[in-house]
Amino acid sequence: MQYALLALGGFVMIFPYLWMLSTSFKARGTWYNISLIPEQFSLEHYERMLSASLLPRWYLNTIIVAAIATASVAFFSSLAGFVFAKYEFRGREVMFVLILSTIMIPTEMLIIPWYVAIAQIGWIDSLVGILMPGMLSAFGVFVMRQFMGNIPNELLDAGRIDGVSEFGLFWRVCLPMARPALAVVVIFTFLGHWNDFLWPLIVVNSDHMQTLQVGLSRLTTLETGADWGGTMSGAALASIPMLIVFLFFQKHIVRGMALSGLKG
Amino acid sequence: MFVNFSAMPTSFLFSFEDYVTIRAERNFIGLDNYTNVVSNPSFHAALRNTLVFAGVRVPIVTVLALGIALLLHSIRRAKGLFRMLYFIPFVTSGVAIAWVFKFLYLPNFGLFTYIFDTLKLPRIYFLGDPRTALMSIIAVTIWAGIGYYAIIFLAGLEDIPEELYEAAMVDGASAWQRFRKITIPLLNRTLVLVIVLALISSLQSFTFVRLMSKDGFGGPLSSTLTMPLLIYKEAFFSLQMGRASAIAVIFFAMVLIATLIQRRLLVREFEY
């Protein structure tokens, strides 16, 4: 009984993906055929998408942005998390709560000041401009602090007696132990940047600076061949890399949601 | 984060200025932006649609996600596989999902129209009809969000000690009683979390309405115009930064108040 219900729901979840793939393989001009298996199997939509559009360039832009932002978030989140978890100083709690409260501010509220600031510096329509607001993450600081709080202080004291510097304690003792939490921060940040839409949409104008998602949202008839098969192949190309990442890191992602205190 | 701290007050500041992107001059104009916005029919439409969006989506997505989590919790074999199936949309980009559903919703040639025709049901022009457009988009966001919330519920369910259920069974409690008296109270914190997350994400709906509404700006007839879309339109197409900031401030207040009220109303501590 449970299995029947779950399978039914699972079918509803997976079907749009099957339909997307099926349509993307249907030969040009046959997208309106209602059949899950293409009559004529064809790769032409993928070929056109990868040659006629700037899609390879958009992939590159997205990977650069996501990789730099993820490295930055991972480093600064774990450093800040370490300081918040392992040092006593005045105003610690206040600062931590302030940082956490930024999670509550909706992006829609921030894009206008971001845009004005980035425009004044002259970073509109550049990868730096896309990157800038995403270099730090309150969520990352929160996850790292929670996890590092569980590392026993005796371990750090032992390190201090052995003459390890304070940064060494962070880099060589705490960071390796916090690897599971770090994996969570890395995956969620990368995923967030890969799929980000609102900010890159605003900050980038020219075609070749688009991220993958924004580029796809603006596909022209030239690139799709005025054919839904073309659009579906674009959608497949945009989502499949993250699906593969997800299959590999499924455990981390699910555990990450528990780790970040989402468990309640 | 410093950027975000300094950005907040800037937004407030802009909302009191007659700031237009292409003009260098900026003046303090007090509350003019606010009075202007509040009397604007687009704002009324956006406010109403955003509230409908949250009001329809939050209860449905919460109940369905809880149902899926309970089902997942009750099975032993293939749990990982099913969990994965429901979670997939969470890692898929909104743009890809929006395109796929736009294709499915297509009038005349879309699959949904075909299914309706086959079942001899009257045709619905999902995204093309002002009466159904918003609901069609809400349905997609429910589909896309359900697995994420189900996973959060599942983590909460796994935290409830088995012994409580065993003890209740010994005492002869029915399945419904066990659900009402054990699961719901002990799941309270998770429930609040899911509702708050679902509410915030519903209020912030942008990607789907931008890509699935007929003209990209909340059409037909402003039936799918939401607050974030209106902010985007005012700021980057009408170039009215001041007015857009005023809407953003109102929007922020909405999100904040909604979250605070829910925390007040829903959080109850249970100790067993």
Side-chain angles (χ1 to χ4, degrees), chain B residues 198-217:
Chain B
L199 179 78
I200 293 176
S201 80
S202 306
L203 293 175
Q204 292 190 2
S205 53
F206 175 78
T207 308
F208 291 106
V209 279
R210 168 84 179 126
L211 296 174
M212 295 181 76
S213 69
K214 217 163 179 210
D215 50 4
F217 283 119

Side-chain angles (χ1 to χ4, degrees), chain A residues 65-79 131-132 134-137 185 189:
Chain A
V65 167
I68 296 177
T70 304
S72 161
V73 166
F75 179 74
F76 288 111
S77 296
S78 38
L79 195 58
L131 259 169
M132 215 43 216
M135 296 291 277
L136 300 167
S137 145
V185 172
T189 311

Side-chain angles (χ1 to χ4, degrees), chain A residues 3 6 17 99 106 109 213 262, chain B residues 11 77 86 92-93 193 204:
Chain A
Y3 282 100
L6 280 172
Y17 291 91
I99 289 177
M109 169 113 189
Q213 308 305 336
L262 289 184
Chain B
S11 242
R77 262 183 298 158
Y86 287 96
T92 314
S93 76
L193 181 78
Q204 292 190 2

Side-chain angles (χ1 to χ4, degrees), chain B residues 54-224:
Chain B
V56 172
R57 180 175 182 258
V58 174
I60 296 180
V61 88
T62 308
V63 169
L64 285 179
L66 181 59
I68 291 167
L70 287 168
L71 285 173
L72 284 173
H73 191 58
S74 71
I75 62 169
R76 280 179 202 288
R77 262 183 298 158
K79 194 171 173 175
L81 176 76
F82 279 117
R83 195 177 56 188
M84 192 187 76
L85 274 183
Y86 287 96
F87 198 62
I88 282 180
F90 180 73
V91 297
T92 314
S93 76
V95 180
I97 294 176
W99 283 149
V100 172
F101 276 92
K102 212 173 172 179
F103 179 48
L104 289 168
Y105 277 140
L106 217 60
N108 303 324
F109 293 110
L111 182 69
F112 290 160
T113 303
Y114 175 80
I115 294 172
F116 271 63
D117 282 356
T118 313
L119 297 174
K120 302 258 185 300
L121 291 169
R123 276 198 176 183
I124 295 179
Y125 295 94
F126 303 96
L127 297 169
D129 185 336
R131 287 168 303 175
T132 52
L134 187 63
M135 290 304 155
S136 305
I137 296 177
I138 294 174
V140 177
T141 64
I142 290 173
W143 176 87
I146 213 163
Y148 174 63
Y149 303 121
I151 300 279
I152 300 176
F153 273 130
L154 190 60
L157 286 172
E158 278 164 359
D159 264 5
I160 301 175
E162 244 348 273
E163 298 84 55
L164 289 176
Y165 291 103
E166 282 160 17
M169 296 239 267
V170 171
D171 291 344
S174 69
W176 173 249
Q177 280 173 325
R178 293 198 299 270
F179 178 70
R180 272 296 286 126
K181 302 287 179 190
I182 301 174
T183 313
I184 289 295
L186 283 177
L187 211 57
N188 182 267
R189 283 168 60 109
T190 316
L191 194 65
V192 173
L193 181 78
V194 168
I195 292 176
V196 169
L197 287 175
L199 179 78
I200 293 176
S201 80
S202 306
L203 293 175
Q204 292 190 2
S205 53
F206 175 78
T207 308
F208 291 106
V209 279
R210 168 84 179 126
L211 296 174
M212 295 181 76
S213 69
K214 217 163 179 210
D215 50 4
F217 283 119
L221 296 175
S222 294
S223 62
T224 59

